[in-house]
Amino acid sequence: MRKYMFLGLILSLFFLIACSAKTQSLKAFYADEQIKNVDKIILTDGSTGSSKTITKPQQINELLGLIRDIEFSPQDNQEKREGWRYSIALYDGDKEFKFTLDKIGKTYYDTEPEIYPIIEDYYKKLEIKD
């Protein structure tokens, strides 16, 4: 009897952990972190380490318009990985919300639509303006 209770407890904990991450938009993630008025964005290229800082309101609104409604769905495989393509840091004054294209917090996500080509194109567009 105890063996079944223990097994039930383990399964319940696994279910709670698995369900704690849910599909939501990027805007919902940064709103949860109390990021209301993004006044700076830093895009960092994971392959080179170089970064671009965006502070012009028009550019901030343009980039957020491209990515804010992207849906992040937790991946089934949550094994730790090394490296990342781009990281994005959104700032509201001193408050920061930082994530990579496939990881927010400790959870790995798939995105719909795919966020990588959007960020890559935008980053390259910023390089041209420099």
Side-chain angles (χ1 to χ4, degrees):
M1 179 77 165
R2 271 192 176 162
K3 187 189 319 184
Y4 293 114
M5 286 176 47
F6 181 72
L7 182 60
L9 178 63
I10 296 296
L11 288 173
S12 296
L13 286 173
F14 178 75
F15 181 73
L16 283 173
I17 291 168
C19 292
S20 64
K22 61 184 179 191
T23 299
Q24 61 182 25
S25 70
L26 179 60
K27 185 176 183 177
F29 276 108
Y30 65 79
D32 288 346
E33 296 296 319
Q34 304 302 309
I35 303 292
K36 296 176 183 167
N37 182 33
V38 177
D39 54 20
K40 179 170 73 170
I41 300 174
I42 299 177
L43 299 175
T44 304
D45 182 333
S47 62
T48 66
S50 64
S51 63
K52 302 288 180 188
T53 300
I54 304 167
T55 56
K56 294 179 181 173
Q58 179 183 354
Q59 289 179 318
I60 290 170
N61 291 335
E62 180 181 25
L63 180 55
L64 289 178
L66 293 171
I67 65 174
R68 84 175 104 226
D69 295 324
I70 291 177
E71 292 288 320
F72 284 71
S73 301
Q75 295 178 357
D76 292 334
N77 180 358
Q78 290 293 319
E79 292 178 34
K80 186 174 172 141
R81 296 147 206 186
E82 297 296 324
W84 40 269
R85 293 175 168 177
Y86 289 95
S87 74
I88 303 171
L90 306 178
Y91 292 88
D92 181 354
D94 292 335
K95 292 184 248 171
E96 176 190 59
F97 174 66
K98 191 171 184 178
F99 62 99
T100 64
L101 303 185
D102 68 345
K103 186 177 180 189
I104 298 177
K106 295 182 179 185
T107 304
Y108 292 97
Y109 292 90
D110 290 319
T111 59
E112 181 58 41
E114 176 66 39
I115 193 171
Y116 173 71
I118 296 168
I119 296 301
E120 172 127 292
D121 289 347
Y122 199 84
Y123 191 86
K124 287 178 180 179
K125 184 173 141 182
L126 290 172
E127 288 179 339
I128 293 169
K129 290 183 179 181
D130 286 347

